[in-house]
Amino acid sequence: MDLAIDRELDDFRAMVREAIAEMLPPRIAELQKAHGGINSGHAETLEWTRILNERGWSVPHWPAEYGGTGWSPMQLYVFNDEASKAWAPDTCWGATHMCGPVIYTFGSDAQKETFLTAFREGRYFLAQGFSEPGNGSDLARLRTAARREGDRYIVNGQKIWTGGAFASEWGFFLVRTNPDVKPQAGISFLMIKLDSPGVTIRRIPQINGDADLCEVFLDNVEVPAENLIGEEGMGWTYAKFLLDHERTTSSFIFYNKRELARAKALAAAELIDGKPAAEHPEFRSRITRLEAEVTALEWSVLRELANEEFKYDRTAAASTLKVVGSRLQQAVTELQVDLLGPRALRFHAFEPEDRVDAGPLWPTHAEGRTANALIARASTIYGGTLQVQKGIISKLAFGL
Amino acid sequence: MDFNLSDLQRMLLDSAERFIGDHYSLEHRRALRDTADGIDHSAWQTFAELGWLAILVPEELGGLGGAMTDVAVLAGALGNRCVREPFTGTAVLAATILAGAQSAQDAVVESLVAGQARIALAHDEPGERYADSAPRHSALVAGGPGFVLSGQKMMVLDGPTATHFIVTAQGPEGLTLVLVEDGADGVARSDYALYDDSRASDLTLSGVTVGAGQILATGEAAQALLSLALDRARVTLAAQSVGSMEAELEICSAYLKERQQFGHPIGKFQALQHIMADMFVATHQARSMLYFALSRLEQPASVRERAVALARVHIAEAAQLVSRQSIQLHGGYGVTDEYEVSHHYRRQLVLEKQFGDIGFSLARASA
């Protein structure tokens, strides 16, 4: 057992920190800081991806032959930690973390050339078309149908919760290509260009004033058969692969660390009866407990990255990261709201031109916190609800 | 980083699980409760033979010169079966203080390693709670050939079977750690049982004669040594707590498959499955927090103290969740002495309140 972080990582950390500080435009960092959410600024996300790509860092976790950096899991961890601390946005998650790995694992050479290059270079945003109005947790029964006609598919159906679809050029979709087999076996993985005739996108106004999530209607959309990834009927397997591919990202550990640090800064800045909130015992205790939970989560992630021998099924550990990470996103952002007290109630528009002018009464640190906490209610819903995760744990760890 | 056991740790764990698993059945532990002093003397000899008491003792003093990660591996196995022998007080707390003492304590250390000496910390006094660095009312003053020690101590854990006490007192040079033999003139013990069937004592010290060779540390050195020893002890308790939680996961998941109600094993009910999932998450996170605390033990005192306090809050609250739900999952049987889970619950309660409870740790971590 060696619980010390390797010294060499300190040098690596200093190197990436300096590089990020040099590369990241302050404008992008400020926007990310104001929003603090996941989907802030599609254009800025792509701009940052292109900047990273110039250094060969836009898809560091991919295999080297597709543009990865060859960094170790711990180096990747340090890089992401530093990027998050510097208020860099993520790259387009659907492209670089979900669809990309599916394509480099199961896609054809032509698909690799077309899509991987575009994802790596940040050419466009990519939407994820999985959930449907009638099929959320019970995803395997999805009904959007793709009927093969010669060298193309005709797609009909409806997707929902498609984040950023209105700003995306392409989407990766799960569609039913065979209605006559058991639900999981009839699903295929299809790339669909979102400006195809028959595609209608409607943005969904959200609890926090934003409208990033979308409905996507597919009405006799013609999709070239070459956009099928891998084999027909293997879509469910690929989807499981991509959800399983990165076991630690659902912890949102970098987000949770950064937002806890922000809460501490808020606690020092916000006065209650003339005293910083940080000096009030109830806030101190809340902050300490959350710090303990975030620390434990970080060490749970490190255990996973270091490949600890584990007596239970590893997926149960991955679900644990998701359970704790999603709960923390809510708890930490709720703490921020409570630290602001009644000032948390003021509505802040997402559009830059409608921003509140900063001033002594309304410092910039108040902006965006409540919007962030409101949408964080979704963290225990997307990517497998809290209840689905608990079901996975009780089944895989205990055979219940 | 490497979270896997070294070969030596693997051997340690295997032998610990074998011996403890064979020896410390529930029946055996319940039988021990009815003995006069509650401890298993022959098992304690085995602890010594297996080298468990020597882990933290430096090699030059005849020990193994091991690390707290080794102790944590063993403590997890002890916690698994609610073993309540005076391991933490003797092999962690006292071993740390004796190894760092200003006066040579070779003979006592040798007898500790051999399983003959058991040493308890006599620190707490009436009217206070977890007084980490507050001045002691117990006083060591010059007198006779050396010094004279007087005072009142309470909740001396494992006091009835201790051969020696490390007494904290206010001396001419501030805080002083004094080694006092049980049975010395002026030492009076009042013994009692705790809810986990371990034992403790109140100690009245009336003009106990103390020689220079019994002074282990004074002033700032005493404070630093006591603080280090207490933090190591706290992590050892936390490791036992994690071991107990891990055992409860096994006990409860087995029970849910066997117990039938409404014509089904109760593990078929989603409400209970989700309780088990909550327990799994809490236990997994608690073990992560244990690793965090272990990783900070060699760091400067302020870093170490805060990390240990954070870990104690987190692990103790996880242990409460797991031990409470373990009873709930067992229904009425959970509150009977017949079932393991009630013993784990009581053991967890004692582990939480030794050397600083949740409230104490929360305040310490928030300072």
Side-chain angles (χ1 to χ4, degrees):
Chain A
M1 207 181 280
D2 176 9
L3 302 179
I5 298 212
D6 302 340
R7 280 280 160 82
E8 286 162 18
L9 277 176
D10 292 341
D11 296 339
F12 179 80
R13 186 181 284 278
M15 186 275 287
V16 294
R17 179 182 295 170
E18 200 179 313
I20 290 166
E22 213 172 85
M23 290 188 290
L24 181 63
R27 172 178 45 84
I28 294 184
E30 275 156 30
L31 182 75
Q32 180 67 19
K33 187 171 182 180
H35 282 271
I38 311 150
N39 299 316
S40 52
H42 298 100
E44 289 78 8
T45 293
L46 294 176
E47 188 182 340
W48 176 234
T49 308
R50 288 192 285 268
I51 293 169
L52 284 172
N53 184 52
E54 282 169 27
R55 198 179 277 251
W57 287 4
S58 64
V59 285
H61 54 295
W62 286 10
E65 55 181 311
Y66 303 116
T69 51
W71 291 338
S72 69
M74 282 302 293
Q75 285 177 317
L76 282 171
Y77 184 83
V78 167
F79 171 72
N80 289 322
D81 195 26
E82 286 299 321
S84 168
K85 273 191 213 158
W87 299 101
D90 281 322
T91 53
C92 172
W93 198 259
T96 58
H97 287 258
M98 300 179 89
C99 190
V102 170
I103 289 179
Y104 68 62
T105 309
F106 304 107
S108 67
D109 286 345
Q111 288 166 342
K112 288 177 190 171
E113 181 55 34
T114 309
F115 292 111
L116 295 185
T117 308
F119 296 171
R120 191 175 60 237
E121 293 180 353
R123 284 194 207 150
Y124 50 74
F125 222 79
L126 187 73
Q128 179 195 351
F130 280 20
S131 294
E132 298 181 0
N135 303 88
S137 293
D138 189 12
L139 185 63
R141 286 176 208 281
L142 61 90
R143 285 174 298 184
T144 295
R147 190 178 71 248
R148 181 80 184 240
E149 280 186 8
D151 58 357
R152 58 192 187 164
Y153 289 97
I154 309 297
V155 183
N156 279 288
Q158 184 187 347
K159 295 290 177 179
I160 195 167
W161 318 130
T162 315
F166 68 94
S168 299
E169 204 168 308
W170 284 83
F172 57 107
F173 286 77
L174 291 183
V175 294
R176 183 160 304 287
T177 41
N178 187 348
D180 302 322
V181 290
K182 75 167 194 159
Q184 288 84 348
I187 295 172
S188 299
F189 196 105
L190 206 55
M191 303 299 292
I192 301 179
K193 200 144 191 294
L194 296 180
D195 60 1
S196 309
V199 175
T200 309
I201 293 167
R202 193 182 75 84
R203 298 174 72 172
I204 303 172
Q206 292 164 194
I207 187 171
N208 62 344
D210 195 5
D212 188 67
L213 298 170
C214 298
E215 289 177 289
V216 177
F217 301 89
L218 301 141
D219 180 18
N220 284 315
V221 178
E222 294 187 15
V223 179
E226 67 199 36
N227 290 358
L228 173 77
I229 304 294
E231 293 171 44
E232 219 179 69
M234 290 295 284
W236 186 254
T237 306
Y238 303 156
K240 279 204 339 202
F241 163 86
L242 77 83
L243 295 173
D244 223 32
H245 186 62
E246 289 186 58
R247 293 177 165 279
T248 61
T249 50
S250 66
S251 67
F252 278 76
I253 184 61
F254 309 115
Y255 176 97
N256 283 319
K257 281 174 70 174
R258 191 188 69 201
E259 293 303 321
L260 180 64
R262 170 157 33 203
K264 283 183 170 180
L266 279 178
E270 283 290 312
L271 301 181
I272 301 173
D273 301 331
K275 245 178 25 177
E279 290 173 25
H280 289 256
E282 65 278 18
F283 278 121
R284 286 167 85 107
S285 298
R286 262 176 89 177
I287 290 169
T288 299
R289 283 197 167 91
L290 285 174
E291 189 178 342
E293 184 95 37
V294 170
T295 303
L297 180 62
E298 181 163 35
W299 281 75
S300 291
V301 169
L302 292 173
R303 288 166 70 185
E304 187 66 35
L305 293 178
N307 252 320
E308 182 194 32
E309 285 166 22
F310 196 53
K311 69 181 277 195
Y312 298 102
D313 188 302
R314 295 206 82 84
T315 303
S319 284
T320 297
L321 298 181
K322 165 80 174 146
V323 167
V324 177
S326 55
R327 193 167 64 198
L328 272 171
Q329 287 173 65
Q330 297 174 341
V332 172
T333 52
E334 280 161 11
L335 170 64
Q336 292 174 356
V337 168
D338 293 346
L339 283 165
L340 290 170
R343 288 201 299 174
L345 300 178
R346 180 169 179 174
F347 176 78
H348 293 276
F350 269 78
E351 293 70 21
E353 59 274 21
D354 297 333
R355 292 272 173 75
V356 179
D357 289 328
L361 292 183
W362 295 96
T364 47
H365 72 227
E367 190 182 330
R369 306 293 43 88
T370 308
N372 216 7
L374 289 169
I375 200 62
R377 298 316 309 171
S379 66
T380 45
I381 298 167
Y382 62 72
T385 65
L386 179 59
Q387 287 65 39
V388 164
Q389 302 301 336
K390 288 185 182 183
I392 290 171
I393 292 170
S394 67
K395 182 174 174 198
L396 294 182
F398 303 121
L400 295 176
Chain B
M1 295 183 101
D2 183 5
F3 292 93
N4 295 327
L5 300 181
S6 66
D7 290 344
L8 279 171
Q9 286 169 337
R10 169 57 55 196
M11 281 164 57
L12 172 66
L13 183 62
D14 285 347
S15 69
E17 285 183 337
R18 200 173 320 120
F19 174 67
I20 293 167
D22 289 346
H23 194 76
Y24 284 97
S25 65
L26 179 56
E27 296 69 31
H28 181 62
R29 283 181 276 132
R30 290 171 72 201
L32 279 175
R33 166 167 66 190
D34 299 325
T35 61
D37 60 16
I39 99 163
D40 184 335
H41 290 275
S42 80
W44 189 255
Q45 275 312 306
T46 308
F47 279 32
E49 285 156 21
L50 291 171
W52 296 354
L53 307 177
I55 294 174
L56 286 186
V57 174
E59 288 176 71
E60 58 272 25
L61 289 176
L64 297 173
M68 277 298 295
T69 45
D70 307 327
V71 169
V73 168
L74 174 58
L78 294 171
N80 246 279
R81 286 295 181 100
C82 299
V83 176
R84 49 182 195 263
E85 311 297 358
F87 176 81
T88 308
T90 294
V92 178
L93 228 164
T96 298
I97 290 176
L98 291 174
Q102 62 182 44
S103 51
Q105 300 296 336
D106 299 14
V108 184
V109 172
E110 192 181 318
S111 110
L112 180 158
V113 167
Q116 286 145 9
R118 280 179 299 272
I119 304 164
L121 178 71
H123 180 58
D124 290 353
E125 299 182 350
E128 60 174 32
R129 195 175 294 178
Y130 312 125
D132 224 18
S133 55
R136 304 289 76 203
H137 288 99
S138 300
L140 181 75
V141 294
F147 302 91
V148 173
L149 175 64
S150 295
Q152 173 72 59
K153 295 290 182 179
M154 57 184 296
M155 282 296 291
V156 177
L157 299 161
D158 306 312
T161 52
T163 56
H164 300 72
F165 300 100
I166 294 174
V167 179
T168 56
Q170 211 61 26
E173 292 168 60
L175 178 71
T176 307
L177 307 181
V178 187
L179 186 67
V180 174
E181 271 190 61
D182 181 52
D185 281 350
V187 177
R189 243 179 43 222
S190 161
D191 299 341
Y192 41 89
L194 306 184
Y195 269 104
D196 70 340
D197 302 323
S198 61
R199 304 290 202 272
S201 311
D202 296 338
L203 220 57
T204 308
L205 304 155
S206 320
V208 180
T209 305
V210 171
Q214 290 168 261
I215 308 289
L216 301 175
T218 61
E220 281 179 18
Q223 193 58 59
L225 194 54
L226 178 64
S227 167
L228 172 67
L230 281 171
D231 273 344
R232 286 182 172 183
R234 290 169 180 133
V235 172
T236 308
L237 298 174
Q240 291 179 62
S241 187
V242 172
S244 160
M245 285 184 247
E246 287 169 346
E248 296 214 90
L249 296 183
E250 301 297 317
I251 293 166
C252 290
S253 58
Y255 186 72
L256 293 193
K257 288 173 190 164
E258 153 202 321
R259 169 76 175 170
Q260 305 260 338
Q261 289 287 275
F262 306 104
H264 300 284
I266 59 175
K268 290 279 165 229
F269 299 115
Q270 201 176 42
L272 304 194
Q273 292 172 359
H274 286 194
I275 289 176
M276 281 302 307
D278 289 340
M279 291 163 62
F280 181 86
V281 169
T283 303
H284 191 76
Q285 285 278 94
R287 177 160 281 285
S288 297
M289 205 58 181
L290 173 64
Y291 290 144
F292 164 71
L294 285 166
S295 79
R296 295 295 187 271
L297 281 180
E298 306 299 322
Q299 298 203 3
S302 61
V303 175
R304 182 196 72 215
E305 284 174 12
R306 180 148 201 283
V308 171
L310 262 190
R312 284 277 281 169
V313 171
H314 189 81
I315 293 171
E317 290 186 342
Q320 288 183 335
L321 182 144
V322 170
S323 60
R324 289 167 181 167
Q325 294 291 31
S326 294
I327 290 181
Q328 185 66 25
L329 291 173
H330 278 73
Y333 297 109
V335 294
T336 66
D337 192 57
E338 287 273 328
Y339 276 70
E340 280 276 8
V341 291
S342 78
H343 294 262
H344 280 280
Y345 187 92
R346 286 174 275 181
R347 181 68 185 150
Q348 290 281 17
L349 183 66
V350 171
L351 291 172
E352 186 253 332
K353 298 230 182 289
Q354 284 185 34
F355 310 134
D357 60 9
I358 290 172
F360 167 84
S361 306
L362 191 58
R364 202 160 169 249
S366 305

